[in-house]
Amino acid sequence: MDANEILDYCLTKKGVAETFPFDQETLVMKVGTKMFLLMSLEKQPLTIAVKTDPEWSAELREQHPQITGAYHMNKTHWNSVSLDGLKKELVLKMIDHSYDLVFKSLTKNIQNTIVNS
């Protein structure tokens, strides 16, 4: 997968915004006001950071050397994922999981606004 495929996939989800709050190199995808994916547009191989529940994080890190604790993030909940050699289905599953976790953490009011938009 490349950066455009990741971006396009994320933008198909309800309430998603593409932002650059840190610098012009780090794309941050948000649902509502919260981040669910970060992607360095300059780093090769392409690497993303996604949120996962702690048990799945441990399992993913054990099974895939491309998945580690995310730099500058809470390593219990955030994974750095080098896409080099990972199956597309797994990457999309992690993105979906991250989006769902973050969406569920939004207030009911914001969730309703997103769902009904």
Side-chain angles (χ1 to χ4, degrees):
M1 294 188 78
D2 65 24
N4 286 327
E5 288 177 288
I6 299 285
L7 175 62
D8 291 345
Y9 184 74
C10 290
L11 290 173
T12 65
K13 299 183 171 300
K14 283 193 162 268
V16 170
E18 169 187 357
T19 66
F20 288 89
F22 306 119
D23 55 41
Q24 294 304 306
E25 172 186 322
T26 307
L27 174 64
V28 176
M29 303 304 292
K30 293 182 177 184
V31 57
T33 59
K34 295 186 178 188
M35 299 185 299
F36 74 94
L37 182 138
L38 293 90
M39 178 170 45
S40 173
L41 298 177
E42 302 297 321
K43 187 175 179 182
Q44 291 299 320
L46 183 60
T47 301
I48 62 173
V50 290
K51 190 170 189 173
T52 52
D53 67 63
E55 287 178 15
W56 197 35
S57 287
E59 184 182 317
L60 287 167
R61 292 174 194 174
E62 215 172 85
Q63 294 174 355
H64 305 281
Q66 303 94 321
I67 302 174
T68 59
Y71 187 64
H72 287 311
M73 305 293 280
N74 181 329
K75 289 165 184 49
T76 302
H77 299 280
W78 285 86
N79 287 312
S80 179
V81 181
S82 173
L83 302 188
D84 192 31
L86 288 179
K87 292 185 177 181
K88 181 177 181 175
E89 295 79 22
L90 177 60
V91 174
L92 296 179
K93 184 176 179 180
M94 287 187 285
I95 293 170
D96 291 343
H97 183 76
S98 184
Y99 174 88
D100 292 343
L101 279 176
V102 174
F103 182 82
K104 289 175 188 172
S105 74
L106 299 171
T107 65
K108 293 291 180 198
N109 189 30
I110 293 173
Q111 288 179 16
N112 289 335
T113 300
I114 291 169
V115 168
N116 296 319
S117 64

